[in-house]
Amino acid sequence: MKKKLIFSAALVLSLGLAGCGEDTTKDTSDKPVEESKKEDTTKQKTTAPATKEETKSDKLTEEKFKQIKEGMTYEEVVKIVGSEGKVISETGVAGDPYHTVMYEFETDGTFSTSSMMFQGGKLINKTQIGVGSSDVKITIDEFNKLENGMPEAKVFEILGGEGDLISESGNLKMYNYAGEKALSNASITIQDGKLMNKTQMGLE
């Protein structure tokens, strides 16, 4: 590219000396250099954000966690997360239908963690702590209104929405809600579309 620019500048300079003034030659020869600098600057600006995005893509986010479904293979989960997990537990022999492996995946949240359990090569459970971003808070009055056996829709109506999904295994889901007071929280377990357990700590 540099050789082409030098050759073009020399050609324009020769034509300018033959039939044009010196000022015209200078203006014409300088123009390609200016445009070339602009192109280089533009390329640098557009490529920088892409590098930043690539850095984030290898960690588990709340959005990715929600995309991961029961029955997926380890390879499918890795494709969504963008990186391999670390084996933290293994039972049985590879190839056996009850071969169970639990992987820990790196997350993008502060003090957050996530693990996935596979049995027979298929996902049977996913768990996360600190990855969610629900802003729905719970009070002791709302907690006391919840009754085991309530339909899932009624539970979310009382609480004002879904909390952070922290665990899912088949038809069993566990949600966490932050309380108004620091370090206070509550968790609820939904199975087959109904409330089966509720636990709270420090709610007022």
Side-chain angles (χ1 to χ4, degrees), residues 56-73:
K56 291 183 178 180
S57 66
D58 61 350
K59 294 183 180 180
L60 183 70
T61 62
E62 181 182 17
E63 184 181 349
K64 290 176 182 178
F65 186 79
K66 289 179 178 179
Q67 290 175 25
I68 296 169
K69 304 296 181 183
E70 181 186 14
M72 283 185 170
T73 64

Side-chain angles (χ1 to χ4, degrees), residues 80-202:
I80 292 173
V81 177
S83 63
E84 296 273 343
K86 180 173 65 177
V87 177
I88 56 176
S89 176
E90 183 173 8
T91 305
V93 182
D96 187 273
Y98 296 105
H99 177 230
T100 306
V101 185
M102 183 179 287
Y103 295 88
E104 181 181 39
F105 287 89
E106 188 177 3
T107 59
D108 71 343
T110 306
F111 303 116
S112 61
T113 183
S114 178
S115 62
M116 311 275 174
M117 183 180 288
F118 295 82
Q119 189 173 74
K122 302 289 184 180
L123 180 70
I124 62 171
N125 176 266
K126 63 175 185 177
T127 304
Q128 68 83 11
I129 297 175
V131 176
S133 60
S134 174
D135 57 359
V136 180
K137 294 187 180 295
I138 186 172
T139 64
I140 190 63
D141 290 336
E142 291 170 336
F143 180 84
N144 289 335
K145 289 178 183 178
L146 302 179
E147 297 178 5
N148 288 338
M150 267 186 177
E152 180 181 58
K154 181 65 176 178
V155 172
F156 292 147
E157 181 184 331
I158 291 173
L159 300 180
E162 292 186 19
D164 290 323
L165 177 64
I166 59 174
S167 181
E168 183 174 9
S169 180
N171 295 323
L172 190 148
K173 298 179 182 179
M174 184 178 288
Y175 295 88
N176 187 69
Y177 290 82
E180 298 290 343
K181 180 183 171 184
L183 302 180
S184 63
N185 65 83
S187 64
I188 61 170
T189 303
I190 304 289
Q191 186 171 32
D192 296 323
K194 294 182 179 180
L195 179 68
M196 68 165 289
N197 177 268
K198 63 176 186 175
T199 306
Q200 69 89 7
M201 182 179 72

